Amino acid sequence: MKRLGGIALAFALGWLVAMLTAGTPYAGDIKRVVGPGTLVQLQTPWGVRSAFAPFWESWQLVDAIFFDRARIDHGKMIQGAIDGMLATLDDKYTFYQEPDKAAQTTDDMAGKTGGIGIFLRFADGRAYVWKLIPDGPASKSGILQNDEILQVDDQIVATLIADKSVDDAATALSARIRGKKGTSITLIVQTSGTPARTVTLQRDDIILPSVEWERLSGDIAYFHISEFKRNTPDVLAEGMREFSRTPIKAMILDLRRTPGGLLDSAQRVLGFFYDGTALWEERQAGSLIELTTTPPDSDISRVTVPLYILVDERSASASEVVAGALRDRYPGTLLIGTQTFGKGIVQNIYPLSNGGTIRLTMSQWLTPNKLHIHGTGLTPDITVNDDPAARADAPCVADRMPKAGETLCRDPQLTTVLGLISALR
């Protein structure tokens, strides 16, 4: 028995020495033999070290034995492990973002990024300019809406986005296009039916629009918030100041197709209308925490005119916080449209050491009157469906465009609100 044990030990030691010689597939790299788990396990919290043992054992087996070395990607293995862990929570709002995507999300939510001022769309493995930001570098350089982007610097776009989902393709291409203000970028683009052309331009700081406003006939202030970014309240304040110069008789807040955004941005937006409870937050222990509105700058007076809020099935999260709070706390508020999405939970974003982030659900929220909306949404006071057969008799607001030869748009929800305001006079 001793002899067998000695043979086994000698064999094991011989195997390890052989693995560390340059003539082996492992080229002397001990990490490729034992895997990082042997060292990293020392950093695993003691209370769960035994539970993690099968994970590290699996990592070590793959890393040391799997025959096709080219298919081993440690980054993907780690991301897959994190994704799998979070998937067990059965919460689609809790997820991991890899570093490039996390950086882009941070820029987007700040409302400002270094780039050339375009939005992308993808179809059939190709990338196109969806929209241009006015006065951005791309717009000034002659790049047009629907131009195909063939190449970014030395990177062929078709190769970059091949076999990627739309989201992953957008992340990969955006990472190439974005950059610090003042740096150069060269694109090869093509307008349909014309030869491809090369465009070299300088990146600039791009303000990502999230608020649009205009004065409609009858002294009606119209605001559309597309997302609650960090700078959304500041941009909204500009519109409020503009309308303060000439009195308005009513206000329309359009939150249709508004997926949400930052909770503190929603609290600041609510501060333009009233002082008090913005929402209640319910955490693990079930206790309610009151979150209040944030007052605007001293030079801005709070809104006092009748308020109408447009909502639809894509009004979610922070837009539901605002719509629900205003109905509960701003007298006479009316919600017009269709049932909202129903996202009544809150996520926080936690940075990781590799530059990635985890977005983790930390609580659920209730309206000031303590109404739960998660999974059900807000029911409008007046339900108006977006009837495709409706007449085009409304002003064209936000990104709506009239049909050729017409000046008005089909927007039955806005038409209903304008009728309600007209009846008050």
Side-chain angles (χ1 to χ4, degrees):
M1 195 70 172
K2 274 187 176 183
R3 180 175 173 78
L4 287 175
I7 292 173
L9 177 60
F11 178 82
L13 290 173
W15 177 83
L16 181 58
V17 170
M19 292 299 101
L20 298 179
T21 61
T24 70
Y26 303 100
D29 183 356
I30 190 169
K31 279 192 176 182
R32 298 185 68 177
V33 180
V34 300
T38 301
L39 304 176
V40 176
Q41 279 192 74
L42 297 177
Q43 299 178 12
T44 303
W46 179 259
V48 294
R49 191 169 294 179
S50 61
F52 267 81
F55 171 81
W56 291 121
E57 291 162 4
S58 300
W59 178 289
Q60 292 159 15
L61 287 169
V62 169
D63 215 38
I65 297 173
F66 188 72
F67 81 104
D68 189 348
R69 311 306 302 171
R71 291 165 63 183
I72 296 179
D73 184 322
H74 289 161
K76 288 183 178 179
M77 287 166 66
I78 292 168
Q79 181 173 341
I82 297 172
D83 288 341
M85 175 183 66
L86 298 180
T88 66
L89 302 176
D90 195 23
D91 174 20
K92 64 182 177 181
Y93 302 109
T94 290
F95 55 86
Y96 168 76
Q97 286 192 320
E98 60 185 5
D100 282 347
K101 182 63 175 176
Q104 291 171 26
T105 298
T106 299
D107 286 346
D108 288 344
M109 295 316 299
K112 180 179 178 180
T113 187
I116 61 175
I118 62 172
F119 293 95
L120 302 169
R121 70 176 177 87
F122 298 85
D124 302 322
R126 297 180 175 185
Y128 299 88
V129 176
W130 176 41
K131 289 194 298 186
L132 295 106
I133 294 177
D135 299 321
S139 177
K140 291 177 180 178
S141 72
I143 291 176
L144 304 174
Q145 185 176 21
N146 294 322
D147 275 359
E148 182 179 357
I149 305 172
L150 302 174
Q151 187 168 323
V152 179
D153 291 328
D154 59 352
Q155 176 64 63
I156 304 296
V157 172
T159 303
L160 177 67
I161 66 175
D163 300 322
K164 286 183 169 64
S165 66
V166 170
D167 190 55
D168 288 345
T171 298
L173 184 53
S174 295
R176 292 276 180 167
I177 293 175
R178 295 185 181 190
K180 291 183 179 180
K181 177 181 178 179
T183 57
S184 295
I185 180 173
T186 298
L187 304 181
I188 297 179
V189 298
Q190 185 172 27
T191 302
S192 180
T194 68
R197 62 191 188 278
T198 300
V199 182
T200 298
L201 52 166
Q202 299 284 315
R203 295 182 179 93
D204 200 354
D205 286 335
I206 304 298
I207 303 298
L208 303 173
S210 61
V211 184
E212 299 173 76
W213 66 85
E214 61 179 289
R215 183 182 290 266
L216 302 180
S217 176
D219 292 324
I220 301 169
Y222 169 87
F223 285 93
H224 175 246
I225 297 178
S226 59
E227 194 168 9
F228 287 84
K229 300 179 184 292
R230 193 165 304 286
N231 65 345
T232 295
D234 299 324
V235 180
L236 182 63
E238 295 176 22
M240 294 289 186
R241 291 188 181 97
E242 184 176 309
F243 285 121
S244 68
R245 301 186 189 108
T246 306
I248 58 174
K249 297 178 179 177
M251 180 178 291
I252 300 171
L253 181 60
D254 192 346
L255 299 179
R256 293 175 295 180
R257 307 180 303 281
T258 306
L262 299 175
L263 183 57
D264 60 351
S265 177
Q267 291 173 255
R268 291 180 63 197
V269 167
L270 287 170
F272 289 102
F273 297 90
Y274 71 94
D275 179 35
T277 304
L279 70 156
W280 295 93
E281 195 173 66
E282 184 177 10
R283 298 196 176 179
Q284 290 176 347
S287 60
L288 293 179
I289 300 170
E290 181 186 20
L291 301 183
T292 60
T293 62
T294 304
D297 292 340
S298 58
D299 66 321
I300 297 179
S301 299
R302 284 199 166 101
V303 177
T304 58
V305 298
L307 177 63
Y308 302 84
I309 303 178
L310 295 171
V311 294
D312 65 10
E313 63 279 0
R314 289 180 285 178
S315 304
S317 195
S319 61
E320 293 175 296
V321 168
V322 169
L326 288 172
R327 181 159 65 179
D328 284 358
R329 290 292 183 266
Y330 187 84
T333 297
L334 286 178
L335 271 57
I336 294 94
T338 57
Q339 193 84 4
T340 63
F341 183 83
K343 183 177 180 289
I345 52 178
V346 179
Q347 288 75 40
N348 204 359
I349 298 176
Y350 299 91
L352 302 178
S353 58
N354 67 342
T357 59
I358 283 184
R359 185 174 299 206
L360 196 65
T361 297
M362 55 176 286
S363 64
Q364 64 176 331
W365 62 266
L366 296 74
T367 71
N369 287 353
K370 299 184 179 178
L371 173 69
H372 287 269
I373 67 100
H374 190 62
T376 57
L378 295 165
T379 301
D381 300 293
I382 301 174
T383 298
V384 181
N385 293 309
D386 188 12
D387 183 1
R391 292 176 51 197
D393 55 3
C396 298
V397 295
D399 58 356
R400 294 176 184 262
M401 299 293 290
K403 291 183 179 179
E406 298 183 4
T407 58
L408 298 175
C409 285
R410 180 188 61 78
D411 192 342
Q413 294 158 346
L414 179 58
T415 298
T416 299
V417 172
L418 295 176
L420 292 171
I421 296 173
S422 178
L424 293 176
R425 297 171 182 169

